[in-house]
Amino acid sequence: MIRNSRRMLAGLGVAFTAAAVAVSGTPAQAAESGLTSFFEDVTIAAGSPGIVQSVNVYSVDPVSTTDISIVFDTSGLANVATIAPEAEEFWDDFTCATAGTIITCTWNKEWPVEFNEGGLSVLDVVITPVDGAAVDASGSLSTTVTAVGASHTTTSKITIGEGVNLAATSQEITGSATPNSTVAAASGVRNVGEKTAEGVVLWVSGTPGMGLAQYGNCQYMTQNGYRQTYCEFDDELAPGSTHQVEFDLQLSGQVFAPGRQYGFFEWMTPAAFADRAAWQKFAGVTFTPGTGAPLELTEASSATRRAQVDIDPADNGGMIEIAVTGTNAADLEALGVEFDGEAGTSATVQVGVKNHGPALLDGSMGGFSATAIRVEVPAGTTVTEVDEACNNDTNASDGWVGPTPGGTVYHCYTDTQLLPGEQEVFDFTFRIDQKKTNAVGSVTANPKAWLDGRSGDTNAKNDVAYILVNGDGTLPPPGGEGGQGGGGGTLPITGAKAGLIGAAGAVLLAAGVAGFLLARRRRTTFVA
């Protein structure tokens, strides 16, 4: 039995696959109904032990419940395949019963299952071809998820394929380039099985700032900076043959330098590609045809394809790592705020950081925050409400205590990306305990004590901004003449907070403090 290639290669590709899809936000069906589910189309090799697939659930609003059940209707799989919950010693969260062609699984734990718009794989099942199932035979599987009074049904196509075995000739692509340039790369695929592979697909995905150059037989998607590309080839790969393709990887002018860009590549059969494409369509991801001459393998021929599936997908891909040379950094501006009020009144305001470029800041490969700000509270005020992305660091030795009120110092952590022209803001509510003229707090962008200068900053003059309460206009700019940050008046915030960080988005602080919300909404906005 094998797990499908997306799951098997998750250790390498999750930061790219999940990010490219998850950043598109809640699947459209979930946005309409509140609850939705998805079970991916699957192609399994005839005569194989089967493949493991997951039931995924999504909800617009966060769900925490023990009231969840999953019903599989297998009547459409006659003479094609059978399904059964995977027996997992430590993950037996559901109790399943079979009655004819209906399998009903109910949550059996005292603690709740929790999921939101980021989705959750709640149950793994084994899909096994029936004895004698013919290649190209297909059937349908109906999966209904019911939770907190809502239900959603999804129908998946299960196809029997001919088993082939592809392997990447190398599981690493390396190179070196400067920002706004290309680097020549190549990848090979070998047919290590006993049957001819009728066509192949190459998938290339990268962190923001790096992607495959344009080719006519490739499909492209860029969302939230992530680039994902599929290239289709009609070539037949005879048993024992090796094919290679040469291509260019493009680095944008926004990549940080010196630094590194990472990506992932995978070879797959056309049938496996079709299964994955259905998953991405569900997630709302759309691709655009490439332009220019097509990529070519070293040999070419065409024939009528049969449905085929790789019987050992674990060796089909690998990492891309490009060293970015030269110098290309970012100018980060602290965004402060000014407000007035009488003793006993409160004000909810936003402070933050803006990236003036030219480089983008990206910590998604390691799940790091792109940058952070330090907030020092004005005298005579008390913080009563704090943004969820901030930590009370009044007593730094306490480590991560979360967004607790009453502190005098906070650090707030951005999402994993901050693109040129974007700013990210954080909500604070201050109560004025004593009315003082020019009560001053501060916002510091990219505090080196916490991030060790990892993000870089080309202009120190705008790294500090005021949080000014009842100002009279007599204070000099923070940091000296010419050093004013974004402290004048209210912040020029436009648009709504929207989008998601990808599956790589658990913020791990450089100081070793961990703990944040995986599916937290992005709060970045673009400001010209």
Side-chain angles (χ1 to χ4, degrees):
M1 176 174 53
I2 62 172
R3 296 179 180 269
N4 80 20
S5 59
R6 182 166 57 85
R7 293 163 57 88
M8 297 230 11
L9 292 164
L12 294 175
V14 66
F16 309 106
T17 306
V21 174
V23 294
S24 65
T26 311
Q29 297 176 46
E32 295 174 358
S33 64
L35 173 73
T36 193
S37 59
F38 186 68
F39 193 91
E40 189 172 339
D41 291 349
V42 178
T43 301
I44 52 177
S48 71
I51 191 170
V52 177
Q53 189 57 273
S54 300
V55 178
N56 299 284
V57 293
Y58 308 81
S59 175
V60 172
D61 298 316
V63 170
S64 178
T65 183
T66 57
D67 178 22
I68 181 171
S69 64
I70 303 172
V71 177
F72 302 96
D73 183 346
T74 66
S75 58
L77 294 179
N79 301 317
V80 176
T82 62
I83 75 163
E86 184 181 27
E88 298 182 275
E89 181 178 358
F90 299 105
W91 302 102
D92 56 345
D93 297 329
F94 285 85
T95 298
C96 299
T98 301
T101 60
I102 303 298
I103 302 173
T104 302
C105 300
T106 55
W107 185 257
N108 62 21
K109 302 301 182 186
E110 295 180 0
W111 55 84
V113 60
E114 299 180 346
F115 57 93
N116 53 29
E117 59 189 0
L120 178 69
S121 296
V122 291
L123 177 63
D124 289 346
V125 298
V126 182
I127 309 171
T128 307
V130 300
D131 292 340
V135 172
D136 290 329
S138 64
S140 61
L141 172 66
S142 173
T143 305
T144 300
V145 176
T146 301
V148 291
S151 295
H152 184 265
T153 299
T154 183
T155 301
S156 310
K157 182 180 180 181
I158 311 299
T159 302
I160 304 301
E162 181 180 54
V164 297
N165 194 355
L166 304 175
T169 57
S170 173
Q171 293 187 312
E172 184 179 40
I173 295 174
T174 60
S176 177
T178 58
N180 199 29
S181 67
T182 61
V183 56
S187 180
V189 57
R190 179 182 300 114
N191 186 347
V192 297
E194 299 178 352
K195 297 178 180 179
T196 298
E198 299 169 355
V200 289
V201 177
L202 174 64
W203 167 46
V204 178
S205 187
T207 45
M210 184 182 73
L212 193 70
Q214 286 284 323
Y215 297 100
N217 57 335
C218 300
Q219 299 276 333
Y220 296 81
M221 183 277 291
T222 300
Q223 191 153 2
N224 202 33
Y226 289 92
R227 302 182 186 184
Q228 191 174 55
T229 306
Y230 292 97
C231 301
E232 300 179 80
F233 304 93
D234 290 329
D235 306 70
E236 287 191 347
L237 280 67
S241 67
T242 299
H243 290 63
Q244 180 168 296
V245 62
E246 297 179 351
F247 51 85
D248 287 336
L249 295 170
Q250 292 181 328
L251 298 185
S252 78
Q254 296 181 346
V255 296
F256 198 91
R260 292 186 179 275
Q261 289 288 304
Y262 296 92
F264 180 72
F265 68 94
E266 181 186 358
W267 292 94
M268 66 186 76
T269 67
F273 165 68
D275 293 342
R276 184 175 296 177
W279 174 62
Q280 291 167 326
K281 181 179 179 181
F282 164 80
V285 175
T286 57
F287 286 80
T288 302
T291 58
L295 278 179
E296 294 185 3
L297 291 175
T298 55
E299 298 176 8
S301 62
S302 61
T304 301
R305 292 175 179 163
R306 309 180 77 184
Q308 293 182 321
V309 61
D310 198 319
I311 61 175
D312 183 16
D315 56 1
N316 286 22
M319 291 295 299
I320 301 171
E321 182 176 354
I322 304 299
V324 184
T325 59
T327 301
N328 194 41
D331 173 16
L332 297 178
E333 177 190 2
L335 302 175
V337 68
E338 182 176 349
F339 60 94
D340 299 328
E342 301 296 325
T345 63
S346 294
T348 298
V349 298
Q350 293 178 322
V351 296
V353 57
K354 180 176 180 179
N355 181 7
H356 289 282
L360 64 87
L361 303 181
D362 176 38
S364 58
M365 181 61 186
F368 290 99
S369 178
T371 188
I373 61 171
R374 175 184 172 93
V375 177
E376 298 188 19
V377 177
T381 69
T382 297
V383 174
T384 58
E385 294 184 39
V386 191
D387 197 286
E388 64 179 11
C390 302
N391 185 55
N392 186 340
D393 284 314
T394 304
N395 297 310
S397 61
D398 291 344
W400 181 270
V401 297
T404 57
T408 58
V409 177
Y410 292 85
H411 284 87
C412 302
Y413 300 90
T414 68
D415 293 315
T416 58
Q417 297 174 34
L418 192 64
L419 305 180
E422 278 190 343
Q423 64 185 31
E424 183 161 349
V425 295
F426 307 90
D427 297 329
F428 279 78
T429 299
F430 294 94
R431 184 184 67 234
I432 301 175
D433 300 317
Q434 301 176 10
K435 183 177 181 180
K436 297 182 178 182
T437 301
N438 292 332
V440 178
S442 65
V443 179
T444 302
N446 198 39
K448 293 184 178 180
W450 281 80
L451 289 180
D452 196 27
R454 177 176 60 85
S455 297
D457 194 340
T458 61
N459 178 16
K461 292 183 178 180
N462 58 4
D463 287 357
V464 180
Y466 287 139
I467 301 174
L468 181 58
V469 185
N470 293 314
D472 63 4
T474 62
L475 285 180
E481 186 175 353
Q484 176 67 42
T490 58
L491 293 174
I493 305 302
T494 60
K497 299 180 182 180
L500 289 175
I501 63 174
V507 177
L508 303 177
L509 309 184
V513 181
F516 192 54
L517 299 178
L518 177 63
R520 162 185 159 213
R521 285 187 176 273
R522 282 179 59 81
R523 65 198 66 232
T524 53
T525 55
F526 179 81
V527 180

